[in-house]
């Protein structure tokens, strides 16, 4: 750890959003490049920095900044350098010289205590003096806040977020209730707020601490997909975590309920505790859904049935009874769900429905939750599909408090203009995305939801598709018949065996479903590499990079993180002249297969022609998009990635948090995607993940070939483990509450078509 003092001679780069700065520090004539979060630092400013030296392969020795502290200019020369640097708008070299000539060694005190006296200097009006005063006061406040927060071990980046959120109110928050930080500031969770509170002398049984702990327990559940926890579970978990009594926790749950920060509901003698935002999200979905369902429906008549038969004849297909009923229902009802496993004809039903609407002169919009799922839908239908985010006109907004949020152009006041909206892979849509979708649908527009209810639920909170079906409120068709062509695939047949809990056929007599019994991790690594390099590319006629390794978990010897390290070192080893860059625990290397892990609609891409000249430009790289690193430019500090369809993106070094290695990915991350071949290692794993739904989802990601590596006992146990990962959600109940039940005098519904 090094501590140095000098002045900032030049700011090379600054990211205004997160405060990341690259600057040169002048150490008595020697220049040192410093990198890190230094949001308020200015050229010409004297400062004391603390950090660690590191050797950059291109730029040489640099100091990685851990903290910095502005220092008051100690000499007239230092004061002139600071004022002349442009740090204070409106003051240049000549004016800086006149200020120092007028006030001499008293300049710093005048700026701090009597800035109105600057009007005594020729060229500075009273108005300009007030503006300079405001600037210097703001800089003092920011510097004071940074120094105040640093004494509690808060990094510069988190300190900047705190300041952006609270401003001068920050001191009141620290004095009265530091647990607010966990609620209001990105990157500061309960653990950090709790540590700060202890250092500030907040009691362990403080009501603020207990309330924050309760909300933290609920937030963890939300991250795992549940929108509520049973009261007893909340009390037990919070009391154990906080080291307080269950009575104290119970009292504060009541207080949080009174303040409407949590919602407590009774269901079947169980008290459920919801974070307020999640409860109202579910309730608003139920309200919007009811409005759409009540917008009118009619029974299919002879004309509708005749037109569907004509489309079948024109297309050279023959729908089965359930497919035909599904199309009829979609034409006549405001909201419909079509579900079914692989090979049951969901795509055929959708294509027939699209042709029906087109023949009636009606407009149809197609969408899916992710970019890859939308592209698959486009390929399957021949019509353009887009992500739900893009369909609704997503915008990332700055709240002005250091946080950004997602907003949509399409809502109740500006709904989608279409006669029908068809959404595929609905099982991937979480609570928030589905609510946004419903807000953009106008009563009178048909909404057709398509998905496989047996797939894993969304990464975000909720299990929307399952709750909609189980509520009984939405007309639903479950396609079951496996068509002849699909029945020839052991991928499809084994997928259905998994659903039925039947024994898988692992005799390796299949053309597309194979199993290799291996009991140790090293042989699994070895054969995985052989399959990717030698066996599968020729067998399924695809490139090496198109073969995807899927795994149940992130951690462990067969987790995504470790598998990526192993596969990267073998498939793309380091070599002289091959650029690489380490970020956190990941090494990015030219030639690496990578994946975007978050929708980024602002990220710009371009398609380049023969001589590198852009021939097409656009924006938007989506969660699940795969690419290959083409270049790591140390001088420009960018990583160039070529995504599908030859879209080129230049990522700045400091904006790589949404990029991950993708030689191996978790099954959750594969949702909505399809690959020529899938390799899945299975020995053991967390019980919550080793279940039927996860195995089913992994197998159905493969188009031409599945290879399972590992323990046949583990595979069969997963196939028999019926208990999917349990999520506590209330959407089904919210819908039932609004619809009522026959026993309560409410309407009676039997909306589900045969086959469910």
């Amino acid at each position: 750890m090094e501590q140095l003092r000098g002045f900032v001679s030049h700011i090379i780069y600054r990211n205004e959003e997160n405060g990341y700065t690259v600057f040169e520090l002048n150490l008595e004539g020697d220049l040192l490049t410093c990198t890190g979060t230094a949001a308020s630092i200015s050229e010409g400013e004297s400062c004391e920095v603390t950090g660690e030296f590191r050797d950059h392969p291109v730029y040489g020795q640099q100091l990685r900044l851990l903290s910095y502290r502005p220092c008051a200019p100690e000499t007239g020369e230092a004061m002139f350098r600071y004022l002349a640097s442009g740090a204070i708008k409106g003051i240049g070299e000549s004016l800086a010289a006149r200020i120092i000539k007028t006030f001499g060694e008293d300049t710093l005190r005048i700026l701090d205590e009597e800035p109105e006296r600057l009007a005594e200097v020729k060229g500075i009006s009273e108005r300009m003096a007030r503006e300079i005063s405001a600037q210097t006061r703001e800089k003092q406040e920011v510097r004071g806040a940074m120094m105040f927060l640093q004494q509690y071990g808060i990094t510069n980046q988190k300190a900047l977020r705190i300041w952006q959120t609270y401003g001068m109110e920050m001191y009141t928050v620290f004095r009265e209730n530091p647990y607010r930080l966990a609620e209001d500031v990105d990157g500061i969770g309960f653990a950090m707020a709790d540590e700060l509170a202890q250092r500030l002398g907040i009691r362990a049984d403080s009501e603020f601490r207990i309330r924050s702990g309760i909300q933290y327990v609920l937030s963890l559940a939300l991250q795992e997909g549940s929108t509520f926890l049973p009261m007893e579970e909340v009390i037990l978990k919070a009391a154990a975590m906080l080291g307080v009594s269950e009575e104290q926790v119970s009292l504060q749950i009541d207080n949080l309920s009174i303040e409407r920060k949590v919602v407590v509901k009774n269901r079947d003698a169980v008290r459920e505790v919801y974070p307020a935002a999640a409860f109202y999200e579910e309730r608003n979905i139920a309200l919007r859904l009811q409005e759409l369902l009540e917008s009118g429906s009619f029974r299919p008549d002879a004309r509708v049935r005749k037109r569907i038969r004509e489309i079948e004849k024109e297309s050279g297909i023959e729908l089965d009874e359930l497919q035909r009923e599904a199309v009829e229902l979609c034409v006549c009802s405001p909201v419909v769900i079509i579900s079914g496993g692989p090979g049951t004809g969901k795509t055929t039903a959708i294509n027939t429905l699209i042709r029906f609407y087109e023949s009636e002169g009606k407009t149809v919009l197609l969408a899916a939750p992710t970019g890859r799922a939308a592209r698959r839908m486009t390929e399957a239908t021949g019509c353009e599909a887009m992500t739900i985010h893009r369909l609704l006109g997503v915008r990332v907004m700055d709240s002005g408090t250091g946080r950004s949020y997602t907003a949509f152009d399409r809502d109740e006041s500006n709904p989608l203009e279409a006669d029908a909206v068809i959404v595929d892979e609905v099982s991937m849509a979480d609570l928030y995305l589905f609510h946004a979708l419903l807000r953009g649908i106008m009563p009178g527009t048909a909404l057709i939801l398509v998905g496989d209810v047996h797939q894993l639920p969304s990464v975000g909170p909720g299990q929307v598709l399952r709750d909609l079906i189980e509520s009984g409120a939405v007309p639903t068709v479950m396609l079951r018949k496996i068509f002849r062509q699909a029945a020839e695939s052991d991928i499809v047949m084994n997928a259905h065996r998994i659903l039925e809990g039947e024994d898988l056929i692992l005799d390796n007599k299949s053309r597309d479903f194979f199993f290799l019994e291996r009991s140790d991790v090293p042989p699994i690594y070895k054969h995985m590499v052989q399959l990717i390099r030698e066996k599968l590319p020729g067998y399924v006629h695809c490139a090496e990079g198109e073969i995807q390794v899927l795994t149940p978990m992130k951690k462990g010897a067969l987790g995504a993180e470790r598998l990526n390290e192993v596969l990267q070192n073998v498939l793309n080893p380091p070599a002289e002249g091959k650029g690489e860059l380490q970020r956190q625990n990941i090494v990015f290397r030219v030639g690496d297969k990578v994946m975007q892990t978050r929708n980024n609609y602002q990220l710009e891409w371009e398609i380049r022609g023969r001589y590198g000249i852009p021939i097409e430009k656009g924006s938007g790289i989506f969660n699940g998009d795969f690419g290959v690193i083409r270049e790591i430019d140390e001088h420009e500090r960018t990583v160039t990635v070529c995504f599908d369809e030859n879209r080129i993106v230049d990522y700045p070094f400091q904006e790589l948090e949404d990029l991950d290695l993708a030689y191996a990915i978790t099954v959750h991350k594969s949702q909505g995607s399809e690959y020529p071949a899938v390799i899945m290692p299975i020995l053991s794993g967390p019980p919550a993940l080793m279940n039927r739904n996860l195995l089913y989802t992994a197998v159905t990601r493969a188009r031409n070939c599945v290879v399972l590596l590992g323990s046949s006992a583990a595979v069969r146990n997963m196939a028999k483990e019926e208990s999917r990962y349990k999520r506590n959600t209330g959407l089904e109940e919210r819908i039932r509450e609004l619809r009522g039940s026959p026993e309560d005098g409410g309407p009676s519904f039997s909306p589900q078509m045969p086959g469910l």
Side-chain angles (χ1 to χ4, degrees), residues 306-434:
K306 179 183 177 183
R307 184 67 195 113
I308 292 173
R309 292 284 188 182
E310 289 172 350
I311 292 170
E312 289 181 60
K313 187 175 181 180
E314 293 165 3
S315 304
I317 60 170
E318 184 176 353
L319 302 177
D320 79 343
E321 182 182 352
L322 282 176
Q323 286 177 311
R324 195 171 293 117
E325 288 176 341
V327 175
E328 291 176 2
L329 191 61
C330 291
V331 170
C332 303
S333 302
V335 186
V336 177
I337 294 171
I338 301 175
S339 187
T344 56
K346 295 191 298 294
T347 299
T348 301
I350 292 172
N351 284 334
T352 304
L353 182 60
I354 291 171
R355 291 186 178 92
F356 180 92
Y357 281 125
E358 289 176 342
S359 71
E360 298 284 305
K362 295 184 176 181
T363 57
V364 184
L365 297 174
L366 308 183
T370 67
R372 290 185 72 83
R375 280 195 289 276
R376 282 185 62 198
M377 195 179 188
T378 298
E379 293 165 2
T381 63
C383 302
E384 182 187 4
M386 61 187 80
T387 65
I388 297 174
H389 285 83
R390 189 168 292 285
L391 178 75
L392 298 176
V394 68
R395 288 176 290 121
V396 179
M397 307 292 288
D398 185 357
S399 66
T401 63
R403 281 187 166 180
S404 60
Y405 65 94
T406 300
F408 296 96
D409 293 329
R410 299 292 189 175
D411 56 18
E412 299 91 340
S413 63
N414 182 31
L416 293 164
E417 297 176 5
D419 295 297
V421 177
I422 304 175
V423 184
D424 199 8
E425 298 285 0
V426 177
S427 62
M428 299 174 64
D430 65 20
L431 212 60
Y432 307 118
L433 183 59
F434 189 68

Side-chain angles (χ1 to χ4, degrees), residues 363-523:
T363 57
V364 184
L365 297 174
L366 308 183
T370 67
R372 290 185 72 83
R375 280 195 289 276
R376 282 185 62 198
M377 195 179 188
T378 298
E379 293 165 2
T381 63
C383 302
E384 182 187 4
M386 61 187 80
T387 65
I388 297 174
H389 285 83
R390 189 168 292 285
L391 178 75
L392 298 176
V394 68
R395 288 176 290 121
V396 179
M397 307 292 288
D398 185 357
S399 66
T401 63
R403 281 187 166 180
S404 60
Y405 65 94
T406 300
F408 296 96
D409 293 329
R410 299 292 189 175
D411 56 18
E412 299 91 340
S413 63
N414 182 31
L416 293 164
E417 297 176 5
D419 295 297
V421 177
I422 304 175
V423 184
D424 199 8
E425 298 285 0
V426 177
S427 62
M428 299 174 64
D430 65 20
L431 212 60
Y432 307 118
L433 183 59
F434 189 68
H435 183 211
L437 173 66
L438 292 185
R439 291 185 64 196
I441 303 293
M442 175 173 57
T445 296
L447 176 61
I448 295 94
L449 305 172
V450 185
D452 186 347
V453 73
H454 300 293
Q455 298 277 7
L456 291 172
S458 57
V459 175
Q463 47 186 6
V464 171
L465 183 59
R466 182 174 293 276
D467 280 353
L468 291 179
I469 292 173
E470 293 186 353
S471 74
V474 183
T476 301
V477 178
M478 185 71 76
L479 302 177
R480 294 189 182 277
K481 178 181 176 181
I482 303 173
F483 287 86
R484 183 179 60 81
Q485 187 175 356
E488 296 174 359
S489 165
D490 286 316
I491 294 174
V492 172
M493 298 312 295
N494 271 329
H496 285 274
R497 288 188 184 97
I498 292 168
L499 286 183
E500 299 301 324
E502 299 174 1
D503 283 340
L504 299 183
I505 297 176
L506 304 176
D507 58 10
N508 288 334
K509 294 179 180 179
S510 170
R511 292 179 300 173
D512 61 6
F513 199 101
F514 303 96
F515 175 77
L516 301 179
E517 183 81 48
R518 300 291 182 269
S519 57
D520 296 316
V521 171

Side-chain angles (χ1 to χ4, degrees), residues 16 52 76 129 180 218 226 283 366 374 385 392 425 459 508 576:
E16 296 296 342
E52 297 174 343
R180 280 182 58 187
L218 292 173
S226 292
R283 193 184 71 168
L366 308 183
L392 298 176
E425 298 285 0
V459 175
N508 288 334
E576 187 175 351

